[in-house]
Amino acid sequence: MKIFFRTLLILSSLNIAAVSAQASTGVGEEPHARAYDHPGHVPIGQPASGKEITHTIEINIEETQSGYMLFDPDAIHIKEGSAVRFVINNFGDLDHEFFLGSFEEIKKHQQWMLEHPEMKHEDPNAVSIPSGSSKTLDWNFSSKTNLEFVCLVPGHREAGMFGVIMVHDHLAPKQ
């Protein structure tokens, strides 16, 4: 009986050690691509359906000779309550992403992407855009806030692939 308990104790200790080692690897700690669904996160809006779209914003991805990677435009003003269709055009030689989120969520997710560079995004708030193609992302901006859009392919944000969206309750008249 004593041997049985000793064996049970050793197996339990090994199991706890294995679980602890796995917990420290980062497995299962991926920031939520759907952070907008979770309480306690900065409100960024929610996915929109095609029938709700109030206007379309075209964004072009540019890769420069000097190594910069850019979104054009990189600053966007949107009226609170708008449902927007983003049309993201990738005319460059590299694959890119368009990831929409709060500054805090993007910072967390960027770190995750550095550790998991093979990850691709096809979520309601993110799309992968292969070279030479276009993708759309429909989003309902229901709250006044400032958010970021970014390419989280490792090294791309550092090369300039980010922009801001300012959601207001009013917009200046166009001149």
Side-chain angles (χ1 to χ4, degrees):
M1 190 69 155
K2 200 174 192 181
I3 293 173
F4 173 75
F5 284 117
R6 194 175 292 163
T7 304
L8 185 61
L9 180 62
I10 290 170
L11 289 175
S12 296
S13 298
L14 290 173
N15 188 32
I16 290 170
V19 169
S20 297
Q22 185 178 21
S24 66
T25 65
V27 173
E29 295 174 8
E30 176 185 356
H32 296 281
R34 298 172 56 101
Y36 58 87
D37 277 344
H38 298 279
H41 289 273
V42 174
I44 67 165
Q46 59 274 342
S49 69
K51 62 185 176 199
E52 303 176 84
I53 303 303
T54 57
H55 63 286
T56 299
I57 297 174
E58 192 165 349
I59 298 176
N60 294 314
I61 294 172
E62 298 178 15
E63 298 168 6
T64 69
Q65 294 280 341
S66 57
Y68 289 106
M69 299 177 203
L70 309 166
F71 288 112
D72 181 29
D74 61 2
I76 300 170
H77 294 270
I78 295 174
K79 186 169 182 169
E80 178 184 20
S82 296
V84 175
R85 170 166 290 150
F86 293 100
V87 177
I88 307 104
N89 303 306
N90 181 2
F91 301 120
D93 295 327
L94 302 173
D95 294 348
H96 294 287
E97 294 184 338
F98 180 88
F99 188 99
L100 178 66
S102 71
F103 292 96
E104 179 183 326
E105 291 300 321
I106 286 178
K107 183 178 177 181
K108 288 179 188 175
H109 209 85
Q110 182 178 12
Q111 183 60 42
W112 175 265
M113 289 295 295
L114 289 173
E115 297 167 11
H116 303 86
E118 72 289 344
M119 186 177 180
K120 300 282 186 221
H121 292 107
E122 291 296 338
D123 298 300
N125 63 316
V127 290
S128 295
I129 311 115
S131 173
S133 67
S134 297
K135 292 279 184 104
T136 61
L137 186 141
D138 297 343
W139 201 258
N140 187 346
F141 294 92
S142 54
S143 302
K144 291 182 283 188
T145 190
N146 293 322
L147 3 144
E148 186 174 18
F149 56 96
V150 63
C151 180
L152 290 174
V153 173
H156 290 205
R157 186 183 195 290
E158 295 80 1
M161 284 198 78
F162 62 93
V164 295
I165 295 175
M166 294 149 281
V167 183
H168 305 280
D169 59 355
H170 66 283
L171 292 178
K174 294 185 182 197
Q175 298 180 359

